[in-house]
Amino acid sequence: METVTRIGEMQSHAEELRRKGAMIGVVPTMGYLHDGHLSLVARARKEADVVVTTLFVNPTQFGPGEDFERYPRDPENDERLASRAGTDILFMPATEEMYPAGFKTYVLTEGLSTVLEGAFRPTHFRGVTTVVMKLFHIVKPHLAVFGQKDAQQAAIISQMVKDMNLDIRLIIAPIVRESDGLAMSSRNVYLSPEERKNAVALFRSLRFAEDAVRRGERRVETIRNGMEEILRNAHVSAVDYVAFVRPGTFEVVERIDPPDILVALAVRFGKTRLIDNIVIPVS
């Protein structure tokens, strides 16, 4: 595995690979890699000739008072894990390399970026789409792999790719969970032992929703009330949202109808904010 830190060098690599006819796959990450990230690398490995994993804690997607400074970082271990998972090139740019003095241009996907996560983190998705667009131009991939855990992010990037006529195939890979169901996340390290024990309530509440729909319940309010009770019993500090939306469009629904529904939630344990979701087929 080769580690690259400069944009120009990464672009030169990408141009040479394309000239040789190699298919490039990219897996954008903020590092502190876990099995969820590594599953994305493994998926890219199956689809592409050359896998580029990017490791960059992107400051523009963090709002005031969020955890940019304390976001977990372990680049040495990330290099080991990325190599072991099948990464060919690890792109690790510095902040000043990606956002030099005088940087003024941002990418914004309207509508989708203002609901759910966007309502609680107003500048978050502007930062996400900007950095992803930059990475696409730097790495020049044929395909990119993202995780379903960040379902709204995946929908927004899909919209951006479509609207901007980017010749990139997106792959949205399934959520990877701990043995007790908690979705893998770099922020899980923030949880105290007691909070970690209680955090499994996110998955339990989603499974409650899934079971209710399978039994024939179609009233959103009824299912949401049951989910919120599970979360309250887990001593969450706050429930930011429990939302029922159409996958892809994130249109909020009040009654569950075919073909499927995405149930998304965001909760807080102390200062730690966790998200999760599930797509439920509806017949």
Side-chain angles (χ1 to χ4, degrees):
M1 184 184 76
E2 181 179 359
T3 299
V4 176
T5 61
R6 306 294 292 187
I7 289 174
E9 183 182 358
M10 183 66 248
Q11 288 175 320
S12 295
H13 276 300
E15 289 165 5
E16 180 63 21
L17 288 166
R18 278 182 166 264
R19 277 196 295 270
K20 292 178 178 178
M23 178 174 288
I24 303 170
V26 67
V27 180
T29 83
M30 292 207 301
Y32 210 71
L33 302 180
H34 51 66
D35 285 349
H37 296 116
L38 303 183
S39 73
L40 305 183
V41 177
R43 179 62 187 274
R45 181 76 279 162
K46 292 180 180 179
E47 302 279 346
D49 300 313
V50 176
V51 175
V52 180
T53 300
T54 72
L55 195 163
F56 178 64
V57 183
N58 176 37
T60 64
Q61 68 190 70
F62 290 79
E66 292 187 353
D67 59 342
F68 174 68
E69 295 298 336
R70 70 186 187 103
Y71 191 85
R73 296 165 170 86
D74 190 350
E76 291 183 2
N77 190 52
D78 286 343
E79 289 193 66
R80 288 192 292 270
L81 292 175
S83 177
R84 193 181 307 161
T87 298
D88 297 297
I89 301 173
L90 185 64
F91 180 51
M92 297 175 57
T95 299
E96 54 271 20
E97 179 79 0
M98 292 292 282
Y99 297 106
F103 184 89
K104 297 183 183 300
T105 303
Y106 293 87
V107 178
L108 176 64
T109 301
E110 295 183 340
L112 275 171
S113 63
T114 62
V115 299
L116 301 190
E117 286 298 290
F120 283 88
R121 308 176 68 191
T123 62
H124 172 66
F125 287 121
R126 184 185 77 159
V128 170
T129 44
T130 297
V131 77
V132 170
M133 181 69 88
K134 285 176 69 69
L135 290 171
F136 284 170
H137 283 298
I138 293 165
V139 177
K140 307 179 189 298
H142 298 83
L143 64 92
V145 185
F146 293 87
Q148 173 64 23
K149 188 178 81 71
D150 297 293
Q152 190 174 1
Q153 171 181 281
I156 287 171
I157 292 171
S158 296
Q159 187 70 45
M160 181 184 77
V161 167
K162 175 184 175 183
D163 291 346
M164 303 306 291
N165 305 112
L166 301 179
D167 190 16
I168 299 171
R169 178 164 65 96
L170 295 185
I171 298 172
I172 310 303
I175 297 172
V176 177
R177 299 182 180 278
E178 304 282 359
S179 59
D180 60 3
L182 179 66
M184 290 189 176
S185 168
S186 298
R187 288 187 170 96
N188 289 349
V189 71
Y190 296 156
L191 298 169
S192 70
E194 185 66 18
E195 289 170 340
R196 173 61 186 82
K197 178 182 176 182
N198 289 331
V200 71
L202 277 76
F203 186 54
R204 285 208 311 269
S205 71
L206 292 170
R207 290 298 300 272
F208 170 87
E210 183 178 44
D211 291 343
V213 171
R214 286 178 175 172
R215 291 195 308 269
E217 181 61 66
R218 295 294 180 264
R219 293 168 295 181
V220 165
E221 183 178 3
T222 299
I223 300 174
R224 183 186 288 117
N225 288 342
M227 294 177 68
E228 290 179 344
E229 182 177 1
I230 292 170
L231 296 171
R232 284 194 301 271
N233 289 338
H235 309 294
V236 298
S237 303
V239 177
D240 283 356
Y241 59 80
V242 175
F244 293 70
V245 302
R246 291 295 178 202
T249 66
F250 276 69
E251 174 192 359
V252 174
V253 301
E254 292 303 327
R255 182 173 176 81
I256 296 170
D257 296 309
D260 50 27
I261 196 80
L262 185 146
V263 186
L265 51 79
V267 305
R268 300 174 190 262
F269 288 92
K271 295 182 178 180
T272 304
R273 188 172 185 275
L274 302 178
I275 62 172
D276 203 348
N277 68 85
I278 189 171
V279 177
I280 304 172
V282 183
S283 57

